[in-house]
Amino acid sequence: MSDLETFRSETAAWLEANCPPEMRQPMVDESDACWGGRNATFKPGQKEWLDIMAAKGWTVPDWPKEYGGGGLSRAEAKILGQEMARLKCRSPLSSFGIWMLGPALLHFGTEEQKKHFLPPIARGEIRWCQGYSEPGSGSDLASLQTSAVDQGDHFLVNGQKIWTSYADKADWIFCLTRTDKNEKHKGITFMLFDMASEGVSTKPIVLISGQSAFCETFFDDVKVPKEYGEGVSSVVYEVNKGWDVAKYLLGHERSMISGGGSEGSTSLGAKFADQYGRDEMGRLDDPMLRAQMAEMDIDVLAFRAMAERFGDTFKAGLCHPAQPNMMKYAGTEINKRRHELIMSAGGSEVLEWESEASNGGLTARGWLRTKANSIEGGTSEVMLNVVSKQILHLPGA
Amino acid sequence: MPLFLNEDQQMLHDSAAEFMKGEAPVAHLREFRDKQCKDGFSHALWKQFSEMGFTGILIGEEEGGLGLGHVEAGVVLEEVGRNLTPSPFLTTAVAGVEALNAGGKPLRERYFPGILSGDTVLALAVDEGPKHRPDQISMAATREGNGFKLDGKKQFVVQGGSADMLIVAARTSGSVGDDKGLTLFAVDANAQGLSKDSARLVDSAMAAHMQFDGVLVDADAVIGEVDEGDAVLRRLLNAGRSGAAAETLGVGAGAMDITVDYIKGRSQFGTLIGSFQALQHRISHLYSEMEIARATVLKAQQMLDEGSSKAEMMVSVAKAKAGKATALSVKEGVQMHGGVGMTDEYDIGLYMKRDRALQEFMGDVNYHTNLVAEMHGY
Ligand SMILES: Cc1cc2nc3c(=O)[nH]c(=O)nc-3n(C[C@H](O)[C@H](O)[C@H](O)COP(=O)(O)OP(=O)(O)OC[C@H]3O[C@@H](n4cnc5c(N)ncnc54)[C@H](O)[C@@H]3O)c2cc1C
Ligand SMILES: Cc1cc2nc3c(=O)[nH]c(=O)nc-3n(C[C@H](O)[C@H](O)[C@H](O)COP(=O)(O)OP(=O)(O)OC[C@H]3O[C@@H](n4cnc5c(N)ncnc54)[C@H](O)[C@@H]3O)c2cc1C
C-alpha cells in the first residue's frame, strides 16, 4: 500500500472508533453546528468530538502542528475530508477563527501572535466575530469610519459596525478601524480585541428568515491595549496596513462561503420521484421539475469538481489570487438556485413556518438564509467587478 | 491525484499549443474551407499529428504508442478546439482507438500501425438519425457464411467519406432498445454494397450519409464479442464524449479570449467598450462558467483513467457542462463583437459554427442531462 492508502485506511478506522454516534447524524439546522467559545453550549456528543479531534489537530488538519493543527499535507487533508464525508462524520467545529482569522494570522501574524491566538482557535476555546461592515460602508468597505486613536499604550476605538455575525455570542473581534483620516486604503488598521471590553455593546437584527444571527455593534471609547503580554501585538501586520490583511482574509472568507455550491445531495430527484410519483419509464412524472433537477445535479457535480480544483491549485500556488472571488460568485449563485428548486419541488408543504412537522419552517428559513450568500462577504456584483479587473484586466473597471 | 495537469501533461500541453497555433491555426481551417476540400481536413497535417506522437496517445506502449490516457488526449483536443483545427484526431485516435482497445489483438495489429504513422483514418458509424440515439440502433447484422451481412443506414458519420475503416454498430440479436445484442464491426471503407454521400456541415467538416446493402464482413471484423457490443460501444462513447467535451472547452476558451481582446480594443461613446459594466459582468460570468467546465472535463478524464465506476456519470456531466459554457461563450462572443461579429472576416463566427457541430456530436446538453437524471434514479 502507498503511504496515502495507509493513511486512508488508518484514518477511516480511527474515525469509526472515535466519532460519537450523534456526530454521525446529518445536521438538521445551523444550531447543530458546534461553534465553541467561552460560553459554548454543547449538544450531546459535540464536546467529546471537538476535544478528541482538537487533540489530533484535526479541527484544522492542514495548519502546522505547533499552532494546534494536524500538519497534514493537502493530499492527506483531502483524504480526511473524503473519509469524514463517507462516514458522515460532522465537522467538529464551525469557526470564523478557522475560516478567516487563522489563515490571515498564519500569513501576516508574528510568531508571538500565532502562538498566542491560534491554539485556542484550534481547540474551539475562543469564538471570533468579524467587524468589517458599517452602515455607510458595505461594498465600498474601504470607506469605513470607525476610528482608532493612538493613546500611547492603547488605542481608543469609537464607531459602529453592522451585520456583525454572532457578535452577541463571540468572545473576540477582528476589527477594521481607521487610523488615518487623510488616506483611504492606507489608513486602515486590522486589530484584535475582546468583546467583553468596556464600551462594546451589541444589538441583534432580525433577518427575513426570522433568525437573528447578526448584530449592530457599537464601540464607545473602547480601550484596546497595544500588547497582550510580551510581544503579542493587538495589531496584525502594521498600523495603516490593515487593508492588505483585510483583503487576504476576504479571499479565505469567499472561498469558505463558496462551499455552499458543492454541498447538497444529488439524490433529491429520486426522493421527489418517490414522493410524487413516476411515469411508466420510472421517471419523475413532472417532466419540467425533472429537467430542472437534472440541470441542478449537473451544476452541483461540476462545481464540486471546481472546488476540488480550486483547493488543489490554491495549495500548489497555481491559482490566480483573485480566484476566490469567482468561486464565491459561482458557489453562492448555485446554492441559491438549489434552494429555489427545493422550495418549488416541496410545494405548499414547505411553506409551513412554525409547525412541528416542518421542523419550525426549516426548509423555508433555509431558503431565505441562502439569499444572504451572494451578499455576505462581498456581493455577487462586486465579485464580478473583481474578476473583470484582476483576472480579465478589463479597462476602467 | 490533484485536479490540475502534472508536469508531463503540462509539457504536452505546451507542445500541442505551439504545434496547433503554428501549423493549424484558424487560417488553416479557412484555407481548407475555401478550397472546398472533399475531406475537410489535411492528410499532411494528420501525418504531422503522428510525428508529434499525438496519434499514439491512447495506444499501449507495447503496441508502439505512448500508453497515455484520456487526460492527455484531452490536452491535445483542447488545443484542437482553440484553433478550430480540422483533423480526424477525435474520431480516429481517441474514440476509434478506444473501441479497438476493447477488442482483440488481431484488429489492433491490423489498424494501429497505420494510425501511429498517420496514414489511417477511422470513422464512427453509430448514429442513424439527426440526433444521437445509441440506444435506438437498428442496423441489422445477420449471419452469413462465416461472417455477417450488414443492412441499413448510418447518418452524419463525421469524415465518413475519407475514412479507411468504419466502426459500425449493428444489431446481431434482440430488438431496438435492448442492452444485449449489439455488435461492433471494423468495416473496410471500400466494402461492396456500401454507398456514401458526403455533405459539408456548418463548420466545414464533412459528414457522410451511408447506405449498407448486404455488406459482407468476416467474423474477424467483430470488435470484442458478438452480441456484447454494448461494452465496446460504451468505451467508444466515453472516450468520444469526454474528448468532445475537451474540444468544446477549447472552442469556448478560444472564443472567450478573442472576445476579451476585442472589447479591450473597441471604443464607442469615447471609451473602450470593455469598460462598460454591462459587458464586464456578462463576460466575468462567462469566465466563471468556463473555469467550472474546465474542472469538470478534467475530473471526468481523470476518473476514466482511474477506471472509476462513476466515470460515465462524470463524462455526461462534462459533456453537458462544457456544452452549456461554450454555447454561452460563442453567443456572447458574437454579440459583444457587434456588427463585425456577423462578418465572415472575423473568426468569432467560426467558433460559433464549430460549437454547434460539437454540441450534436455524441449527445447534446439535453441528451446528457437526461442521462444524468436516469443515472440518479429519477
Ligand atoms: C447574513 C449576513 C452576514 C454578514 N456577516 C457579516 C459579518 O460578520 N461581518 C461584517 O463585517 N459584515 C457582514 N455582513 C455584511 C456584508 O459584508 C455586506 O452586507 C456586504 O458587503 C454588502 O454591503 P451592503 O449591505 O452595504 O450593500 P451595498 O454595498 O449597499 O450594495 C447594495 C447593492 O448594490 C450593489 N453594488 C454596490 N456596489 C456596486 C458596484 N460597484 N457595482 C455594481 N453593483 C454594486 C451590490 O452588489 C448590492 O446588490 C453580512 C451580511 C449578511 C447578509
Ligand atoms: C446584418 C446587419 C445589418 C445592418 N444593416 C445596417 C444598415 O442597413 N444601415 C446601417 O446604418 N447600419 C446597419 N447595421 C449596423 C448596426 O446598426 C450596428 O452594427 C449596431 O448599431 C452596432 O454597432 P457596432 O457594430 O459598431 O457595435 P459596437 O457599438 O462596437 O458594439 C459592440 C458591443 O458593445 C456593446 N456596447 C456598445 N456600447 C455600449 C454601452 N454604452 N453599454 C453597454 N454595451 C455597449 C454593444 O451592445 C455590442 O455588444 C447592420 C448590422 C448588421 C449586423
Side-chain angles (χ1 to χ4, degrees):
Chain A
M1 263 201 287
S2 76
D3 288 354
L4 285 180
E5 282 167 46
T6 311
F7 179 76
R8 186 185 292 279
S9 61
E10 285 174 5
T11 300
W14 187 88
L15 290 170
E16 291 261 24
N18 289 285
C19 186
E22 300 92 334
M23 295 297 102
R24 293 180 64 177
Q25 300 297 319
M27 301 230 262
V28 177
D29 62 24
E30 276 189 54
S31 79
D32 277 341
C34 171
W35 289 90
R38 290 197 289 239
N39 307 311
T41 51
F42 294 102
K43 291 190 173 179
Q46 281 185 339
K47 177 92 173 90
E48 211 185 325
W49 184 222
L50 171 60
D51 287 347
I52 195 163
M53 284 292 272
K56 255 183 120 64
W58 284 4
T59 54
V60 279
D62 56 356
W63 286 12
K65 282 192 169 154
E66 62 264 41
Y67 309 130
L72 299 190
S73 68
R74 164 74 185 160
E76 289 167 336
K78 221 165 139 174
I79 287 173
L80 174 60
Q82 287 163 353
E83 291 305 305
M84 285 179 68
R86 192 176 62 79
L87 297 169
K88 303 193 163 49
C89 304
R90 288 187 194 172
S91 161
L93 182 60
S94 298
S95 155
F96 291 177
I98 294 177
W99 300 326
M100 302 187 213
L101 179 61
L105 281 178
L106 282 168
H107 192 81
F108 286 100
T110 61
E111 191 54 33
E112 290 80 3
Q113 285 175 321
K114 291 182 204 174
K115 287 218 173 85
H116 185 80
F117 291 111
L118 292 177
I121 292 176
R123 293 193 298 264
E125 290 164 3
I126 293 293
R127 182 171 179 179
W128 289 83
C129 67
Q130 176 186 35
Y132 275 31
S133 306
E134 298 180 4
S137 304
S139 296
D140 185 12
L141 178 61
S143 66
L144 61 94
Q145 299 295 329
T146 293
S147 73
V149 180
D150 190 334
Q151 305 278 29
D153 65 342
H154 68 273
F155 296 97
L156 198 61
V157 176
N158 278 288
Q160 185 196 339
K161 295 289 172 181
I162 194 167
W163 318 126
T164 327
S165 296
Y166 305 116
D168 50 343
K169 301 196 174 71
D171 305 314
W172 279 62
I173 186 168
F174 47 93
C175 190
L176 296 180
T177 58
R178 181 146 305 284
T179 35
D180 186 342
K181 288 193 162 60
N182 300 317
E183 294 277 352
K184 191 174 178 182
H185 298 85
K186 289 181 181 151
I188 293 171
T189 298
F190 188 106
M191 51 179 67
L192 312 173
F193 54 91
D194 196 323
M195 289 293 279
S197 310
E198 203 170 317
V200 178
S201 58
T202 61
K203 194 171 148 219
I205 305 168
V206 179
L207 303 186
I208 52 176
S209 64
Q211 285 147 350
S212 171
F214 60 16
C215 299
E216 291 179 280
T217 305
F218 303 93
F219 306 124
D220 195 4
D221 282 342
V222 177
K223 283 185 182 167
V224 174
K226 284 196 172 162
E227 282 198 357
Y228 301 111
E230 190 117 9
V232 183
S233 170
S234 60
V235 169
V236 180
Y237 202 31
E238 286 170 34
V239 171
N240 290 333
K241 286 195 177 169
W243 187 245
D244 293 340
V245 187
K247 270 195 310 185
Y248 182 86
L249 183 146
L250 278 172
H252 283 269
E253 177 179 7
R254 288 168 185 172
S255 310
M256 186 272 293
I257 297 173
S258 80
S262 28
E263 276 168 17
S265 87
T266 54
S267 57
L268 281 177
K271 191 186 128 197
F272 285 117
D274 290 339
Q275 202 167 326
Y276 299 128
R278 294 171 183 267
D279 65 13
E280 68 282 5
M281 311 257 306
R283 295 173 173 166
L284 173 62
D285 73 0
D286 177 339
M288 299 307 287
L289 179 62
R290 177 176 184 269
Q292 286 186 30
M293 281 284 170
E295 281 179 7
M296 194 70 239
D297 281 351
I298 285 174
D299 279 334
V300 168
L301 290 170
F303 191 74
R304 267 188 213 161
M306 182 69 237
E308 182 183 349
R309 179 170 160 86
F310 170 69
D312 289 347
T313 51
F314 189 89
K315 274 280 165 189
L318 296 169
C319 155
H320 192 290
Q323 194 77 337
N325 300 279
M326 168 266 159
M327 290 297 294
K328 189 198 179 258
Y329 166 69
T332 59
E333 295 296 334
I334 288 174
N335 203 31
K336 283 198 301 181
R337 251 180 62 212
R338 197 162 60 82
H339 281 260
E340 285 294 333
L341 194 52
I342 291 170
M343 288 304 285
S344 96
S348 300
E349 194 163 85
V350 292
L351 300 179
E352 288 193 15
W353 188 246
E354 285 160 346
S355 65
E356 209 172 304
S358 70
N359 233 321
L362 194 66
T363 307
R365 291 173 202 269
W367 158 67
L368 289 165
R369 175 63 182 85
T370 60
K371 299 303 176 201
N373 296 162
S374 52
I375 300 170
E376 58 196 328
T379 68
S380 280
E381 290 75 18
V382 169
M383 297 305 97
L384 292 172
N385 287 346
V386 178
V387 171
S388 300
K389 182 176 176 184
Q390 293 179 24
I391 299 183
L392 301 178
H393 304 290
L394 291 172
Chain B
M1 200 184 324
L3 204 50
F4 52 80
L5 300 182
N6 66 27
E7 232 169 272
D8 289 344
Q9 291 161 346
Q10 190 59 45
M11 272 166 58
L12 177 67
H13 165 271
D14 296 347
S15 73
E18 192 189 309
F19 172 80
M20 238 57 82
K21 198 169 168 216
E23 303 300 319
V26 179
H28 174 92
L29 166 72
R30 288 182 180 278
E31 183 195 330
F32 276 74
R33 176 192 73 167
D34 293 345
K35 70 181 180 202
Q36 303 236 302
C37 169
K38 70 168 178 40
D39 290 321
F41 69 89
S42 153
H43 288 278
L45 183 71
W46 187 228
K47 271 272 178 204
Q48 285 177 286
F49 266 63
S50 141
E51 282 152 24
M52 293 296 291
F54 298 155
T55 62
I57 284 179
L58 286 168
I59 294 177
E61 277 179 295
E62 64 293 349
E63 295 176 304
L66 297 178
L68 298 171
H70 295 278
V71 172
E72 287 83 2
V75 161
V76 174
L77 279 163
E78 185 179 340
E79 296 313 310
V80 166
R82 188 184 287 278
N83 293 281
L84 305 181
T85 305
S87 89
F89 182 73
L90 175 57
T91 47
T92 303
V94 182
V97 162
E98 269 296 275
L100 291 170
N101 277 333
K105 204 160 181 196
L107 283 178
R108 298 207 301 273
E109 280 175 348
R110 190 178 324 159
Y111 292 107
F112 281 179
I115 294 171
L116 286 167
S117 65
D119 292 307
T120 300
V121 170
L122 310 185
L124 314 167
V126 175
D127 288 339
E128 299 178 357
K131 296 300 280 190
H132 178 63
R133 294 284 179 269
D135 53 337
Q136 299 293 312
I137 290 168
S138 71
M139 173 177 277
T142 42
R143 292 219 181 243
E144 177 102 0
N146 84 336
F148 293 86
K149 181 166 72 78
L150 304 178
D151 287 286
K153 63 173 185 180
K154 291 287 175 184
Q155 295 214 64
F156 303 100
V157 179
V158 178
Q159 287 144 1
S162 355
D164 303 289
M165 183 271 264
L166 310 169
I167 295 180
V168 181
R171 199 151 265 297
T172 33
S173 70
S175 44
V176 172
D178 292 351
D179 281 350
K180 293 274 176 219
L182 281 181
T183 304
L184 268 71
F185 297 93
V187 180
D188 190 286
N190 299 316
Q192 285 267 332
L194 171 60
S195 55
K196 293 172 248 173
D197 181 16
S198 287
R200 195 173 303 280
L201 304 184
V202 67
D203 65 338
S204 306
M206 298 302 289
H209 300 283
M210 300 185 165
Q211 185 65 41
F212 291 70
D213 287 319
V215 173
L216 293 172
V217 293
D218 286 342
D220 63 9
V222 172
I223 307 174
E225 304 293 327
V226 175
D227 286 346
E228 305 287 336
D230 188 45
V232 184
L233 184 59
R234 271 177 185 229
R235 199 149 162 192
L236 179 158
L237 291 176
N238 278 333
R241 289 165 178 173
S242 69
E247 185 174 341
T248 303
L249 185 71
V251 172
M256 182 177 88
D257 288 352
I258 53 182
T259 304
V260 169
D261 278 351
Y262 184 77
I263 68 174
K264 284 178 184 172
R266 167 76 175 167
S267 286
Q268 284 290 280
F269 302 100
T271 182
L272 294 169
I273 60 173
S275 66
F276 299 129
Q277 200 178 53
L279 299 192
Q280 290 185 344
H281 280 193
R282 276 157 49 199
I283 205 149
S284 292
H285 168 71
L286 171 62
Y287 166 81
S288 165
E289 290 293 289
M290 291 304 306
E291 284 289 289
I292 295 170
R294 176 177 306 283
T296 311
V297 170
L298 187 57
K299 182 76 190 170
Q301 292 159 341
Q302 284 191 356
M303 288 170 77
L304 277 178
D305 287 337
E306 287 162 10
S308 158
S309 62
K310 292 189 181 143
E312 206 161 301
M313 163 93 76
M314 208 58 193
V315 167
S316 279
V317 172
K319 180 74 168 72
K321 188 70 203 180
K324 272 201 216 181
T326 296
L328 180 69
S329 181
V330 297
K331 280 184 281 199
E332 289 288 39
V334 169
Q335 175 64 19
M336 291 188 193
H337 274 71
V340 298
M342 293 299 298
T343 63
D344 186 59
E345 186 190 338
Y346 277 72
D347 288 343
I348 188 70
L350 297 175
Y351 281 83
M352 178 170 265
K353 295 176 187 178
R354 174 59 61 84
D355 168 62
R356 188 87 275 296
L358 280 168
Q359 294 282 342
E360 294 304 324
F361 185 80
M362 292 197 177
D364 64 5
V365 174
N366 291 339
Y367 178 86
H368 287 287
T369 305
N370 181 57
L371 275 191
V372 166
E374 280 178 7
M375 287 188 263
H376 278 103
Y378 61 96

